[in-house]
Amino acid sequence: MFIPRNIESSILNLISKFPIISLTGPRQSGKTTLLKNMFPNYQYVSLDYIDNREFAINDPRGFLEKYDKYVIIDEAQRVPQIFNYLQGKVDNDQIMGQYILSGSQNFLLLQSITQSLAGRVAILRLLPFDFSELNAQQLLENNYLTHCFKGFYPSIYDRKIDSPFFYDSYIESYVERDIRTIINVKDLSLFRLFLKLCAGRAGQLLNLNAVANECGISSNTARSWLSILETSYIVFVLPPYFQNINKRLIKAPKLYFWDTGLLSFLLDIKHSDQLESHYLRGNIFENLVIAEMFKTNYHRLQQRNFYFYRDSNQNEIDLMIQNAAKFDLVEIKSSKTINTEFFKGIQYFEKHMPNLIQNKYLIFGGDDSYKRQEVNVLGWKSSSKILE
């Protein structure tokens, strides 16, 4: 079952404006399926296969003669030297939409693009399903805890794979394949521990030195491993907002996972019922909503800037969405019952920085949407409507 993706309109818009489209994202996010469905008349070649890879490595000109136009090249980062030849070919041919490059190792793919194809390629990201994509197919459940546990990877919905089995296999293949390709991790069990420690800090300020100490690795190693997790679309960070822009670059960000199913698996959650009383339920729900905002932002090519706010007195706004010089303020609460305490952060911000506020929102674990104390209260399913 193919589920349409919101990014399709952006791809169709850009393919007539650039000779090369690059679609990156985590493994199993549906890149190949999407491209084959959108462009059935394009040739398809995967550099994951050793014969294709050796052809591209040993005879790049011959490879591009065979695959000369309207081609999807999957796992393109496996042969980085082909990018130099692609540059000359697209410059010579001047055909828009001539090649579509797909890859799951964002670091290697973007490194090759920036070195050889700058200005010739439009870069897009396909992430696991967002709420609206599932909702359009009537696959969005009524209880957010189900999705926190189940996650949003297409295989779980297309092939009805049990989440724990999927994520167990996903981590094995991810660690064995991608991590060893990018960096030399000698002790895989130590890396898995690092991954679990990051999961335990989802939705919290990231103290990388503390993670390194607990894991028994150096701070530099922890920094390197976190960077790989980011470029492989396992985790992302949310920067803090300060009116002094330099402070945004030096204060601790908050850590989140792109997929709450993977996060729940790393936290050893065996069933969605466990989440009801789990000590990190609030953090996991916050992760669910903020990941939804980021996914929607990428899938719809909105290019919004996101921050959080926290001062020395622990006054906090979970999410700030920049609109020119002003911000939409978003508080996120997992409870299905609204409490007046939930509005304290917004009220504090409004009292001290009213000129920065455009809209005020509270996203909670219930279904209803209404207005209270001049704040737009949204059920979790409606959270991405903020970006519409």
Side-chain angles (χ1 to χ4, degrees):
M1 175 181 66
F2 173 69
I3 296 176
R5 308 302 303 269
N6 288 329
I7 203 171
E8 291 178 35
S9 58
S10 297
I11 295 173
L12 291 173
N13 178 46
L14 293 171
I15 202 160
S16 61
K17 299 174 182 178
F18 288 85
I20 300 174
I21 297 291
S22 168
L23 185 65
T24 184
R27 289 196 179 279
Q28 299 294 312
S29 63
K31 299 181 295 297
T32 302
T33 301
L34 172 67
L35 293 174
K36 284 184 173 181
N37 272 274
M38 288 186 68
F39 304 102
N41 296 326
Y42 272 56
Q43 298 181 80
Y44 173 83
V45 56
S46 174
L47 298 185
D48 251 354
Y49 296 114
I50 191 167
D51 51 345
N52 292 333
R53 192 160 65 247
E54 288 182 350
F55 183 14
I57 291 171
N58 298 324
D59 186 8
R61 287 192 174 89
F63 179 85
L64 293 180
E65 280 182 17
K66 179 178 180 180
Y67 301 104
D68 61 337
K69 63 180 178 180
Y70 307 125
V71 183
I72 299 167
I73 303 178
D74 210 352
E75 298 300 334
Q77 78 284 342
R78 303 273 293 193
V79 185
Q81 54 268 46
I82 200 72
F83 287 77
N84 291 321
Y85 294 91
L86 275 171
Q87 175 188 335
K89 182 155 183 61
V90 299
D91 285 351
N92 183 65
D93 294 350
Q94 292 292 302
I95 299 172
M96 296 300 105
Q98 186 169 7
Y99 290 98
I100 302 174
L101 308 180
S102 176
S104 54
Q105 292 178 8
N106 187 40
F107 174 77
L108 297 177
L109 185 61
L110 292 184
Q111 186 181 51
S112 300
I113 287 172
T114 53
Q115 288 174 353
S116 305
L117 298 175
R120 302 169 179 85
V121 57
I123 301 171
L124 299 99
R125 296 167 177 84
L126 182 68
L127 297 151
F129 289 136
D130 59 45
F131 292 173
S132 65
E133 290 168 341
L134 290 180
N135 196 45
Q137 304 299 314
Q138 299 183 322
L139 292 171
L140 195 63
E141 303 282 350
N142 290 325
N143 191 339
Y144 72 82
L145 296 175
T146 302
H147 286 294
C148 285
F149 174 76
K150 190 174 183 178
F152 295 86
Y153 276 89
S155 294
I156 293 171
Y157 296 86
D158 295 347
R159 291 181 269 153
K160 297 180 170 49
I161 301 174
D162 288 339
S163 294
F165 181 80
F166 173 81
Y167 289 111
D168 186 40
S169 302
Y170 189 86
I171 289 173
E172 286 293 327
S173 60
Y174 166 68
V175 170
E176 294 292 336
R177 184 173 186 172
D178 286 353
I179 294 302
R180 280 184 164 167
T181 300
I182 301 172
I183 55 176
N184 182 24
V185 177
K186 296 178 181 178
D187 190 342
L188 288 175
S189 63
L190 203 57
F191 185 84
R192 291 191 191 101
L193 174 61
F194 178 78
L195 195 52
K196 282 180 173 286
L197 291 171
C198 286
R201 288 162 171 79
Q204 301 174 32
L205 291 178
L206 177 60
N207 184 338
L208 206 52
N209 289 332
V211 178
N213 290 335
E214 197 170 340
C215 196
I217 58 177
S218 69
S219 295
N220 286 339
T221 297
R223 197 171 296 110
S224 172
W225 287 3
L226 180 69
S227 176
I228 296 306
L229 290 176
E230 288 185 82
T231 55
S232 300
Y233 296 103
I234 300 297
V235 304
F236 64 96
V237 295
L238 180 67
Y241 173 77
F242 293 95
Q243 288 184 298
N244 179 344
I245 193 169
N246 292 324
K247 288 186 178 179
R248 293 181 216 170
L249 305 177
I250 60 174
K251 296 292 184 178
K254 291 176 76 173
L255 179 69
Y256 297 96
F257 278 68
W258 280 111
D259 188 77
T260 54
L262 177 59
L263 171 60
S264 295
F265 179 81
L266 290 168
L267 292 171
D268 294 320
I269 295 169
K270 307 298 185 186
H271 195 274
S272 60
D273 289 349
Q274 286 180 255
L275 285 163
E276 192 71 54
S277 57
H278 199 279
Y279 73 103
L280 286 177
R281 188 184 79 165
N283 297 67
I284 296 170
F285 180 73
E286 181 180 318
N287 196 132
L288 177 80
V289 172
I290 289 182
E292 169 67 11
M293 297 295 188
F294 272 73
K295 286 187 288 185
T296 300
N297 188 49
Y298 278 130
H299 289 166
R300 296 180 181 176
L301 222 62
Q302 292 181 327
Q303 298 178 314
R304 303 282 191 98
N305 292 322
F306 299 113
Y307 307 96
F308 74 94
Y309 174 83
R310 180 182 289 182
D311 65 18
S312 57
N313 294 318
Q314 305 302 306
N315 296 297
E316 184 174 6
I317 299 293
D318 293 324
L319 182 65
M320 299 174 63
I321 305 171
Q322 189 164 12
N323 288 312
K326 294 194 173 185
F327 295 88
D328 291 339
L329 307 185
V330 184
E331 279 290 273
I332 303 167
K333 303 297 180 184
S334 62
S335 174
K336 295 181 181 180
T337 305
I338 300 298
N339 189 304
T340 54
E341 292 290 309
F342 296 170
F343 301 93
K344 287 182 68 175
I346 291 176
Q347 289 167 348
Y348 175 86
F349 198 97
E350 190 169 30
K351 179 180 178 181
H352 292 86
M353 290 172 274
N355 58 313
L356 291 179
I357 300 173
Q358 180 157 309
N359 298 296
K360 298 170 289 184
Y361 297 95
L362 172 67
I363 297 173
F364 76 119
D367 297 320
D368 299 332
S369 295
Y370 53 92
K371 204 157 194 172
R372 179 168 168 177
Q373 298 184 23
E374 298 185 350
V375 175
N376 298 294
V377 177
L378 300 177
W380 67 276
K381 287 185 180 180
S382 303
S383 54
S384 60
K385 289 184 177 179
I386 295 172
L387 301 179
E388 291 179 355

